[in-house]
Amino acid sequence: MAKKLVKYAVVTIICLLLAYNSVYFKKLSDVNAANKSFNATEYAQNYLDQKLIPSIGKMPSTDTLLNLIKTNPSATFDKFSHAMDIGNIRYFITKGSGIITGLDEADVYITTPAHQNIRIATEYVFGNALRDAPGIININDFTNSGDLNNVSSELNKIIRSKVLPPFKSSVKKGDQIEYAGAFELNRQHLNTDSVEVIPFYLKIKR
Amino acid sequence: MDLANYRTSLVKFQSLIALVLLCIVLSIVSDKFLTVDNTWNVMRQISVNICISVGMTLVILIAGIDLSVGSVLALCGAITAGLLKNGIPIQSSNLYIGFTLLGAILVGLIVGSLLGLFNGWTITRFKVPPFVATLAMLTIARGLTMLWTKGFPISNLGDSFDYIGTGWFLGIPLPVWISGIVVIIAVVITKKTVLGRYIYAIGGNESASKLSGININKVKLTVYAIAGLLAAIGGILVTSRLDSAQPNAGISYELDSIAAVVIGGTSLSGGRGTIMGTVLGAVIIGVLNNGLVLMNVSPFWQQVVKGAVILLAVMIDKANSKNE
């Protein structure tokens, strides 16, 4: 009988020790305050206002980039393009100007000073071009891939809701514009004839 | 050595011979196969299958089957990850119950054991065929996993938890240590304990075992609980290795584990087989998977090859049984 009691006592003590080292209690309000979740909208707006727009002056022009890509693609990709994914799709951050030669539902078509024909996306703004092209976001600053993806999503949302509407409402053929944005190219299957810039800055010069 | 002895030895070591032949062929075909990195990679990958296959061996030794291990694995991994990351918030009393690494793992293991026990209970109490009972649990546990995770992965579980699946100890990956300990305990249970003898007895002849006074229901309950516990260990290893509890984790793992058991020479009709045979079976499947990937074989063909190997193993098992 005594042996049995000792056995139960030992088992109970082990269970209590395990339980004591297994759980802890806190006020839910304290935990919620400490775990303030990542605000992708705020991050994207700050990224646009504090990182992208102030650095427009330092960005390479589209004419320069396209000429470099045609003459020395490998070095140009290495020096100017960025991407967070593994693969051949690479993103370039750029600025430029041009004359509007045409408009449709999805793009405006411009001719640059070096007579390159490019498109500026005005309807379908998706993907990671604006997030990845400058190469200034560090993937390790994010605790999960969802937050990182939400940055792109929110950034594109800001472009669609704040940057494009005032531009689309007043732009017309023959206007001269200034832009800054990002475009993607496939390193393996290079095609510079249909470059489409996802803009984050658009200005009509009249 | 006469022909009969030679044949007996061949049958006894058939899995080992198959593994050695497979390794020789793969090391000739791919120069990446026989490297230290790849060997540890294969060992790390098969650790999970070894854990669940050991449980499956015990179940099959009592002439049962457990189709729920993949789903139980997913649920236990998700519960461990969920508790570790989110704890249990109780809004009404402004209380947060947090779980330490030990606590989250313990709950995962307890849930796995209870689900296994439930399988055993439905099989022994209501005489539901093991195939049907565990098939039902397969669906139930998968549904519970989806409910618990809301269909999304639970990621970023912390370095301490990740260490279980990705860390090294004394130059050997931690999952290999864990599966090794599981194997040693299972070998001791089957070879050196009363429970082990009862398991073989029940699988060999259930009626005779009952007549000789063995509490069959108790043994079956224990075996199914052990299978659930080992599936939970597998779930924790998978979750830790990926640093993420995936709601779809463990799909078709039950088939891989049954394949390991069968290839390892355990009879599907129960009563005959060994833990070490199952380990060899799991290693053969792991090496085969790895070899097919290294040889750039299409994933579709990989399934065909794996199926053919399982079929061949069962045919050899049947032929051996006939000759005994």
Side-chain angles (χ1 to χ4, degrees):
Chain A
M1 185 68 182
K3 207 175 171 184
K4 221 173 191 180
L5 272 176
V6 171
K7 196 173 144 188
Y8 284 134
V10 169
V11 170
T12 308
I13 288 167
I14 290 172
C15 287
L16 285 173
L17 270 174
L18 284 174
Y20 179 75
N21 287 297
S22 295
V23 290
Y24 56 90
F25 301 93
K26 281 183 179 176
K27 275 187 178 174
L28 185 59
S29 50
D30 293 348
V31 174
N32 288 340
N35 296 340
K36 198 183 168 200
S37 58
F38 176 72
N39 187 335
T41 312
E42 193 181 311
Y43 184 96
Q45 189 67 58
N46 288 340
Y47 174 70
L48 182 66
D49 295 341
Q50 294 166 18
K51 301 276 172 65
L52 291 183
I53 291 175
S55 61
I56 290 175
K58 296 174 195 163
M59 290 172 186
S61 77
T62 313
D63 283 338
T64 309
L65 278 176
L66 292 179
N67 282 332
L68 284 170
I69 288 166
K70 281 170 191 164
T71 52
N72 191 352
S74 181
T76 311
F77 268 92
D78 289 346
K79 188 174 177 186
F80 293 102
S81 75
H82 297 96
M84 285 191 188
D85 306 325
I86 301 164
N88 291 315
I89 301 294
R90 306 282 298 175
Y91 303 104
F92 293 84
I93 195 80
T94 187
K95 68 175 176 200
S97 61
I99 308 277
I100 307 268
T101 56
L103 304 97
D104 64 21
E105 284 177 354
D107 297 282
V108 296
Y109 297 80
I110 66 167
T111 302
T112 66
H115 306 293
Q116 310 260 17
N117 294 317
I118 62 166
R119 292 177 290 147
I120 308 281
T122 53
E123 183 67 30
Y124 303 112
V125 176
F126 295 105
N128 300 318
L130 287 174
R131 184 196 68 186
D132 291 4
I136 52 178
I137 290 182
N138 184 354
I139 194 167
N140 295 319
D141 292 342
F142 293 82
T143 53
N144 65 73
S145 56
D147 288 348
L148 187 64
N149 292 336
N150 286 339
V151 170
S152 278
S153 172
E154 291 302 320
L155 197 54
N156 293 335
K157 216 182 273 180
I158 293 168
I159 304 303
R160 287 197 297 269
S161 62
K162 293 181 182 171
V163 177
L164 295 178
F167 177 77
K168 281 168 76 175
S169 63
S170 57
V171 72
K172 61 181 190 300
K173 196 174 172 182
D175 282 345
Q176 185 174 2
I177 66 161
E178 283 179 354
Y179 65 87
F183 65 88
E184 70 171 53
L185 284 176
N186 187 319
R187 192 171 188 153
Q188 195 72 34
H189 305 286
L190 197 53
N191 178 10
T192 54
D193 293 336
S194 62
V195 167
E196 183 187 47
V197 174
I198 305 289
F200 66 85
Y201 168 80
L202 286 165
K203 187 180 176 188
I204 304 168
K205 290 178 78 179
R206 282 179 184 148
Chain B
M1 188 185 281
D2 62 24
L3 194 65
N5 281 341
Y6 176 74
R7 204 186 159 282
T8 310
S9 301
L10 202 65
V11 168
K12 197 175 175 186
F13 296 109
Q14 61 188 19
S15 300
L16 191 62
I17 294 165
L19 177 63
V20 171
L21 285 176
L22 190 63
C23 288
I24 291 170
V25 171
L26 289 173
S27 55
I28 292 168
V29 174
S30 170
D31 58 348
K32 293 187 186 83
F33 177 73
L34 216 58
T35 59
V36 175
D37 283 349
N38 190 52
T39 305
W40 285 133
N41 181 37
V42 172
M43 294 300 287
R44 201 189 280 274
Q45 282 174 353
I46 62 174
S47 297
V48 174
N49 195 19
I50 285 179
C51 286
I52 56 177
S53 299
V54 165
M56 188 68 80
T57 308
L58 299 178
V59 171
I60 290 178
L61 279 175
I62 58 164
I65 194 86
D66 188 351
L67 299 179
S68 67
V69 285
S71 298
V72 171
L73 174 148
L75 180 59
C76 295
I79 285 175
T80 303
L83 291 179
L84 195 59
K85 181 145 195 213
N86 306 321
I88 301 176
I90 303 169
Q91 303 283 354
S92 57
S93 46
N94 191 28
L95 182 67
Y96 173 83
I97 305 172
F99 285 79
T100 62
L101 182 63
L102 174 71
I105 289 174
L106 276 177
V107 174
L109 296 179
I110 291 167
V111 168
S113 307
L114 289 177
L115 292 175
L117 204 61
F118 184 81
N119 277 337
W121 181 67
T122 51
I123 290 163
T124 53
R125 176 74 178 79
F126 300 101
K127 306 294 173 203
V128 179
F131 185 91
V132 179
T134 57
L135 185 65
M137 179 55 76
L138 177 149
T139 315
I140 292 168
R142 183 64 61 188
L144 290 173
T145 310
M146 291 295 174
L147 285 170
W148 177 261
T149 61
K150 298 183 178 72
F152 291 103
I154 304 169
S155 306
N156 296 306
L157 304 168
D159 292 342
S160 314
F161 185 70
D162 293 354
Y163 184 74
I164 298 169
T166 58
W168 296 72
F169 180 66
L170 299 176
I172 295 172
L174 208 55
V176 178
W177 280 106
I178 293 169
S179 59
I181 291 166
V182 164
V183 168
I184 290 167
I185 293 171
V187 168
V188 170
I189 287 174
T190 50
K191 299 274 182 195
K192 302 283 179 193
T193 65
V194 175
L195 176 66
R197 284 195 288 278
Y198 285 174
I199 287 171
Y200 280 100
I202 291 170
N205 191 330
E206 189 171 327
S207 305
S209 306
K210 199 172 185 178
L211 290 172
S212 59
I214 297 173
N215 187 339
I216 290 172
N217 286 353
K218 194 176 165 186
V219 173
K220 284 187 175 178
L221 281 171
T222 309
V223 166
Y224 278 99
I226 292 172
L229 174 73
L230 294 177
I233 292 175
I236 291 165
L237 285 178
V238 170
T239 306
S240 162
R241 188 159 167 249
L242 299 174
D243 186 25
S244 174
Q246 300 285 337
N248 290 325
I251 287 177
S252 88
Y253 277 28
E254 54 280 345
L255 301 182
D256 274 354
S257 67
I258 292 169
V261 174
V262 170
I263 291 170
T266 298
S267 168
L268 281 171
S269 47
R272 188 166 57 83
T274 61
I275 297 295
M276 289 316 291
T278 296
V279 172
L280 272 176
V283 175
I284 288 173
I285 290 177
V287 167
L288 192 65
N289 278 336
N290 180 255
L292 293 170
V293 170
L294 289 178
M295 286 159 64
N296 282 327
V297 175
S298 144
F300 308 134
W301 275 110
Q302 286 181 28
Q303 293 182 42
V304 175
V305 173
K306 263 167 66 181
V309 169
I310 295 163
L311 191 62
L312 189 70
V314 177
M315 285 160 68
I316 291 170
D317 175 60
K318 284 284 171 198
N320 289 338
S321 306
K322 210 181 272 180
N323 289 328
E324 272 172 9

